[in-house]
Amino acid sequence: MKNLAELLHEHPFFSGMREDYIQLIADCGENHVFRAEEYIARENDSADHFYLIRRGRVAIEIFQPSCGALTLQTLQDGDIFGWSWLYPPYRWTFDVRAQTNVRTIRLDGRCLRGKCAEDTQLGYDLMQRFARIMTERLQAAHLQLLDIYSHQQNRTGGEI
Amino acid sequence: MTPDIFFVERRTEEFPGTFTLHVKKQTDHEVPPFRPGQFNMLYAFGAGEVPISMSGPVAQSSRYIHTIRATGAATRTLERLREGDQLGVRGPFGKGWPVDKMAGKSVLIIAGGLGLAPLRPLIYNLLAAEQAVEDVRLFYGAKNPAERLYGNEIKNWSQQISVYSSVDMATTAWQGNVGAVTGLLAGATVVPEKTIAFICGPEIMMRFAIQELTNKNLPRSSIHLSMERNMKCATGHCGHCQWGPTFICKDGPVFCYEDIQQWFHMREI
Amino acid sequence: MIEDESVQSFILASDNLDCLIQRLQKAGYQVVGPTLVDQAIVYNHIGSADELPRGWTDEQEKGHYRVKRRQDKAYFAYNVGPNAWKKYLHPPRRQIWRAEKTIDGLQFEAINEKPSPLAFLGVRSCELHAIAIQDRVFLSGQHHNEDYKARRQAIFTIAVNCTAAASTCFCLSMNTGPGISLTCDLEMTEIINDSEHYFLLRCGSVKGEQILQQLPVKPAQLLQLQEQKSAVHNAETQMEQGPRLFDSSDVKALLYRNYESPVWDSIADRCLSCANCTMVCPTCFCTTVEDTTDLNGEHAERWEQWDSCFTSDFSYIHGGSVRASTRSRYRQWMTHKLATWYDQFDTSGCVGCGRCIAWCPVGIDITEEILRIHEADSP
């Protein structure tokens, strides 16, 4: 049975991180399993946690009246989600639902913020990792937004 | 209530699928006065009736102006109307924008897509300096430059009020902002005690706009929005437009966010 | 019950019930009352007392309604059937206007039907309350339903005190019965036992007085007044001892804080979204409109007809329904009936008649669900 630090070590998000930092972060964490169809987070709920997916798939969703829930993106083994705990007002921006049973490592946001404040080098390392993930998500979102598969190209221009 | 007979005085195409009708009463009488934010029920002969917000200046007493998107049987029939054609009009209905609360305030108007139409009468009021306000800022988000309502008019408005426009997607011919309009809003300075906000657009957009405003500490009582639901009678008797304890047709469509906060964030309600 | 002892009570022999019907007809009313049709007691136009369901009673439980023969010949010894009086005051289908398209243009003509005077024979206390509730819905806002108003003004009500309660009845819990407390034109209580069978009558209006004066009645004696009180008390006791007694004073607050209760999910597992409850409910008022045209496109009509919040496109907007799931639609119906109705019309929407319980094909019991939401309610 691996301990939390070993599990974090294995997760791609923390690849190459110093052992002592991994240990510090492990102090903020625990294993948590979600059942399929369970809602992990809801838009506007208090955002207290940061999740690493060990195994399973989650859907990032947004609710639209008269359409119901729309899936914006899915994430699976090796991905991470939930960084609203980084910035006030610390609220989830979207819904997150487990599509399958999901094994996660759940890290407490307040605990992490505290550790980053104490050791700014740790904070910098962590922020770099987040920034890279966010950039990838943003690029993907732009590509999705382009609607490249549509039959008609309805991106007509116009003056200001 | 039987509809009054109106005819189309003028028709303009905003962009494919969305059009504006100027309608006058057949007998050339003055039309019942309305308040910005109210709506009429427009009847397309044989096809049906739809609730459409007023989109013209309050001061113009002889006609109503309505901007309509053709999506169903009734609106598609209205789309085929040309100058001189007749339609039925019932109204005005509903509670409008609280213009009496604007005095001395910094007014924020946040519109998304077709949501600019119910806000235009309010903008006209402000342009005509009907109320003494501190300043006016319009944030308008649309899908792309071709699908912006009242494009040329907005250019004129920007001479009197600050206009911040954004589109979701554009070619390089568009020299303006591209991105979610809430992103533009995030950059606005808001003095909580002196600001009042009026929002209209798709519900998701209103949710995120309200989030931005509350992040800036704007009191919930200073945020007003316009809601939509299925409507059949517009007189509070058919039950279709119920939203929690409110009837959108008579308690709305304009609501103060503080009053309906519980219902706004509830799903399938 | 009109507690005022100064209101004189009278006795009408049971054999003379038909006189009442004849007098009403002579006064210009079409009499509508209970009849036994297709093994249910429903309201219909009647011409004489012979058409009443004499000697019948109803047996009701969750998803269960049966009529049963009694040993005696009581006229009103049942409670409520699948009909409500709303079918006459707020008709299931009604034309609102017609329009023509001519070379001169459009023309609209409102359809204002002059309603026939109707006498409702056998209105229960819960039903009087239901009518009063619909009065508020249609006549208290900025816009009035003029058709409802006209029909309402043209009725004569003969209310009947309940002397027994079906097991589905819970008017006691909703403070709407069993004794008549609202205004009616004539109030009746049927007293029947081994030795006697009569009606105790009281008038509640000038119109009622006028009819009463024409009937072969005798002043009521103290003993008969006591029998009347005890008969109504019998109905009360049955409900007090039944499972559907509860304090309804905090139901609104309970439901307002339980919109996400797990109970809604368990109801959704059973609810068929069949809309029976809304059809039989005496206060449900939702309607839809039907706009039609003929093939030439020259003639158009608008009709109003009953609708139900359980239909899938009741809340349709922008390409989909806001209340897409059965869960959300059942929740809408129950929270409207028992909670938001208070904020809309200052009363509960429920009169405790129990019809929705009996006529739900899967036996969902609104009183049971209140209890379950209570139990699941976290402090």
Side-chain angles (χ1 to χ4, degrees), chain B residues 246-260:
Chain B
T246 69
F247 289 83
I248 303 274
C249 69
K250 56 176 185 165
D251 304 311
V254 174
F255 291 95
C256 175
Y257 176 60
E258 184 179 54
D259 295 338
I260 46 80

Side-chain angles (χ1 to χ4, degrees), chain C residues 207-353:
Chain C
K207 284 193 305 190
E209 171 100 46
Q210 284 166 352
I211 296 294
L212 185 58
Q213 277 170 356
Q214 299 171 51
L215 300 176
V217 293
K218 293 194 295 249
Q221 303 302 312
L222 187 62
L223 184 62
Q224 289 156 331
L225 293 176
Q226 284 165 348
E227 281 195 307
Q228 193 260 3
K229 276 208 179 75
S230 133
V232 176
H233 187 67
N234 178 49
E236 271 175 27
T237 310
Q238 281 183 295
M239 283 184 280
E240 271 161 7
Q241 291 166 352
R244 296 185 169 99
L245 185 73
F246 64 97
D247 179 1
S248 64
S249 61
D250 71 335
V251 173
K252 173 185 149 183
L254 173 72
L255 291 178
Y256 265 115
R257 61 175 185 265
N258 278 292
Y259 269 83
E260 301 301 333
S261 172
V263 175
W264 303 120
D265 297 303
S266 88
I267 296 173
D269 281 342
R270 290 171 282 147
C271 175
L272 303 175
S273 212
C274 73
N276 259 20
C277 49
T278 56
M279 294 295 107
V280 299
C281 174
T283 63
C284 273
F285 60 86
C286 286
T287 53
T288 186
V289 291
E290 196 191 350
D291 285 305
T292 60
T293 182
D294 64 354
L295 287 172
N296 287 336
E298 286 163 12
H299 173 83
E301 293 179 357
R302 169 164 272 223
W303 288 75
E304 182 187 273
Q305 58 198 35
W306 286 2
D307 199 358
S308 170
C309 55
F310 280 95
T311 58
S312 61
D313 56 4
F314 187 83
S315 58
Y316 182 89
I317 190 165
H318 298 154
S321 290
V322 174
R323 292 180 216 120
S325 66
T326 300
R327 171 186 179 269
S328 65
R329 298 201 294 269
Y330 187 92
R331 180 180 67 178
Q332 163 64 21
W333 180 71
M334 188 166 155
T335 55
H336 183 207
K337 195 65 56 186
L338 294 168
T340 59
W341 204 293
Y342 281 104
D343 284 335
Q344 293 172 346
F345 303 111
D346 287 329
T347 67
S348 176
C350 176
V351 296
C353 71

Side-chain angles (χ1 to χ4, degrees), chain A residues 39 42-44 62-65 70 88-89 91 93-95 145-147 154-160, chain B residues 143-146 148 152 155 168-171 173-176 203-204 207-208 211 215 229 265 267-268:
Chain A
Y39 269 97
R42 290 279 201 183
E43 179 186 319
N44 255 355
I62 190 164
F63 185 84
Q64 188 167 19
L70 295 169
R91 297 206 166 274
T93 328
F94 299 116
D95 298 338
L145 191 58
L146 272 178
D147 198 14
N154 51 1
R155 284 166 280 162
T156 45
E159 353 85 81
I160 293 182
Chain B
K143 185 166 163 188
N144 58 54
R148 277 159 49 83
N152 287 326
K155 242 188 279 195
D168 284 344
M169 213 189 304
T171 64
W174 168 256
Q175 297 284 299
E203 266 188 61
I204 288 185
R207 277 207 319 260
F208 281 90
Q211 187 61 61
N215 283 352
R229 281 295 184 267
H265 294 287
R267 287 146 198 229
E268 289 197 284

Side-chain angles (χ1 to χ4, degrees), chain C residues 9-278:
Chain C
S9 295
F10 297 89
I11 304 297
L12 179 72
S14 66
D15 290 336
N16 287 331
L17 183 59
D18 198 52
C19 287
L20 172 59
I21 295 173
Q22 302 311 319
R23 289 289 151 200
L24 286 165
Q25 286 172 337
K26 281 227 168 60
Y29 293 100
Q30 288 175 34
V31 181
V32 179
T35 59
L36 182 61
V37 176
D38 291 340
Q39 298 174 70
I41 295 175
V42 296
Y43 299 132
N44 269 317
H45 287 266
I46 58 174
S48 76
D50 290 337
E51 297 175 58
L52 295 168
R54 202 169 177 195
W56 288 94
T57 186
D58 54 24
E59 177 188 271
Q60 303 194 54
E61 240 311 330
K62 294 195 286 197
H64 178 92
Y65 178 95
R66 295 287 184 277
V67 288
K68 291 267 190 294
R69 267 237 169 266
R70 289 170 60 90
Q71 305 277 38
D72 63 24
K73 292 280 196 190
Y75 280 100
F76 295 103
Y78 62 92
N79 286 103
V80 289
N83 281 177
W85 300 101
K86 73 175 183 181
K87 90 181 204 199
Y88 297 104
L89 294 171
H90 183 219
R93 194 168 149 78
R94 171 174 85 84
Q95 190 176 6
I96 304 186
W97 48 251
R98 65 165 69 95
E100 304 293 330
K101 197 185 223 175
T102 65
I103 29 168
D104 297 320
L106 297 185
Q107 275 165 334
F108 289 94
E109 185 197 325
I111 308 290
N112 290 317
E113 201 187 301
K114 191 165 187 308
S116 325
L118 297 176
F120 290 169
L121 175 60
V123 185
R124 307 286 165 169
S125 178
C126 59
E127 296 181 309
L128 273 183
H129 276 88
I131 293 172
I133 286 170
Q134 287 211 331
D135 287 350
R136 288 215 191 177
V137 172
F138 293 124
L139 304 177
S140 69
Q142 188 195 349
H143 300 279
H144 291 183
N145 184 330
E146 297 296 331
D147 181 81
Y148 178 89
K149 188 189 279 181
R151 288 174 198 274
R152 183 74 176 82
Q153 281 166 350
I155 61 166
F156 183 106
T157 49
I158 303 112
V160 156
N161 278 299
C162 293
T163 54
S167 65
T168 44
C169 289
F170 60 101
C171 62
L172 200 60
S173 306
M174 301 310 297
N175 304 307
T176 54
I180 302 290
S181 57
L182 296 183
T183 312
C184 53
D185 293 304
L186 278 177
E187 181 194 323
M188 278 194 344
T189 313
E190 183 173 26
I191 305 295
I192 184 167
N193 52 49
D194 291 333
S195 49
E196 46 191 4
H197 185 191
Y198 62 89
F199 297 98
L200 195 108
L201 255 63
R202 276 195 270 248
C203 65
S205 71
V206 171
K207 284 193 305 190
E209 171 100 46
Q210 284 166 352
I211 296 294
L212 185 58
Q213 277 170 356
Q214 299 171 51
L215 300 176
V217 293
K218 293 194 295 249
Q221 303 302 312
L222 187 62
L223 184 62
Q224 289 156 331
L225 293 176
Q226 284 165 348
E227 281 195 307
Q228 193 260 3
K229 276 208 179 75
S230 133
V232 176
H233 187 67
N234 178 49
E236 271 175 27
T237 310
Q238 281 183 295
M239 283 184 280
E240 271 161 7
Q241 291 166 352
R244 296 185 169 99
L245 185 73
F246 64 97
D247 179 1
S248 64
S249 61
D250 71 335
V251 173
K252 173 185 149 183
L254 173 72
L255 291 178
Y256 265 115
R257 61 175 185 265
N258 278 292
Y259 269 83
E260 301 301 333
S261 172
V263 175
W264 303 120
D265 297 303
S266 88
I267 296 173
D269 281 342
R270 290 171 282 147
C271 175
L272 303 175
S273 212
C274 73
N276 259 20
C277 49
T278 56

Side-chain angles (χ1 to χ4, degrees), chain A:
Chain A
M1 179 82 165
K2 293 184 183 146
N3 67 27
L4 208 62
E6 283 168 339
L7 292 174
L8 287 176
H9 187 81
E10 280 174 3
H11 196 281
F13 184 72
F14 289 111
S15 135
M17 189 182 250
R18 282 163 49 171
E19 289 305 321
D20 54 336
Y21 280 170
I22 288 191
Q23 192 55 60
L24 275 178
I25 290 168
D27 290 343
C28 293
E30 60 181 1
N31 275 302
H32 192 89
V33 178
F34 291 97
R35 287 183 311 282
E37 302 308 313
E38 198 183 332
Y39 269 97
I40 297 169
R42 290 279 201 183
E43 179 186 319
N44 255 355
D45 276 355
S46 168
D48 303 318
H49 298 106
F50 158 46
Y51 290 91
L52 300 136
I53 303 176
R54 289 181 53 213
R55 193 192 209 75
R57 198 168 67 239
V58 306
I60 312 292
E61 295 177 352
I62 190 164
F63 185 84
Q64 188 167 19
S66 80
C67 287
L70 295 169
T71 306
L72 299 170
Q73 185 177 27
T74 55
L75 301 166
Q76 54 271 333
D77 309 18
D79 283 330
I80 60 142
F81 64 91
W83 48 72
S84 293
W85 54 271
L86 282 169
Y87 317 104
Y90 309 125
R91 297 206 166 274
W92 286 94
T93 328
F94 299 116
D95 298 338
V96 186
R97 190 169 56 90
Q99 283 192 340
T100 63
N101 287 344
V102 183
R103 291 179 183 285
T104 70
I105 299 167
R106 176 162 73 184
L107 297 167
D108 184 279
R110 195 170 307 168
C111 175
L112 283 175
R113 286 199 299 270
K115 306 257 177 183
C116 290
E118 279 167 21
D119 186 342
T120 50
Q121 191 61 35
L122 163 63
Y124 175 67
D125 190 321
L126 212 48
M127 290 307 126
Q128 270 202 310
R129 290 166 192 272
F130 276 119
R132 191 171 50 77
I133 302 284
M134 288 176 190
T135 312
E136 286 167 6
R137 298 278 171 92
L138 192 55
Q139 285 167 350
H142 279 315
L143 284 174
Q144 276 174 274
L145 191 58
L146 272 178
D147 198 14
I148 53 185
Y149 307 119
S150 266
H151 175 66
Q152 276 171 327
Q153 298 301 339
N154 51 1
R155 284 166 280 162
T156 45
E159 353 85 81
I160 293 182

Side-chain angles (χ1 to χ4, degrees), chain B residues 68-148:
Chain B
I68 304 160
R69 174 184 286 158
T71 48
T75 47
R76 287 208 177 91
T77 309
L78 289 171
E79 192 186 21
R80 292 199 289 270
L81 295 181
R82 294 291 180 271
E83 282 174 32
D85 287 341
Q86 291 184 319
L87 66 158
V89 176
R90 290 195 296 129
F93 295 111
K95 285 206 166 58
W97 303 105
V99 297
D100 51 322
K101 299 212 161 81
M102 292 198 301
K105 294 275 171 76
S106 169
V107 178
L108 280 181
I109 300 177
I110 303 158
L114 204 55
L116 183 57
L119 285 164
R120 192 166 67 157
L122 183 65
I123 296 171
Y124 283 145
N125 261 22
L126 290 164
L127 292 171
E130 292 290 338
Q131 285 85 16
V133 299
E134 174 137 320
D135 61 62
V136 181
R137 285 174 284 176
L138 167 64
F139 289 82
Y140 180 42
K143 185 166 163 188
N144 58 54
E147 293 187 33
R148 277 159 49 83

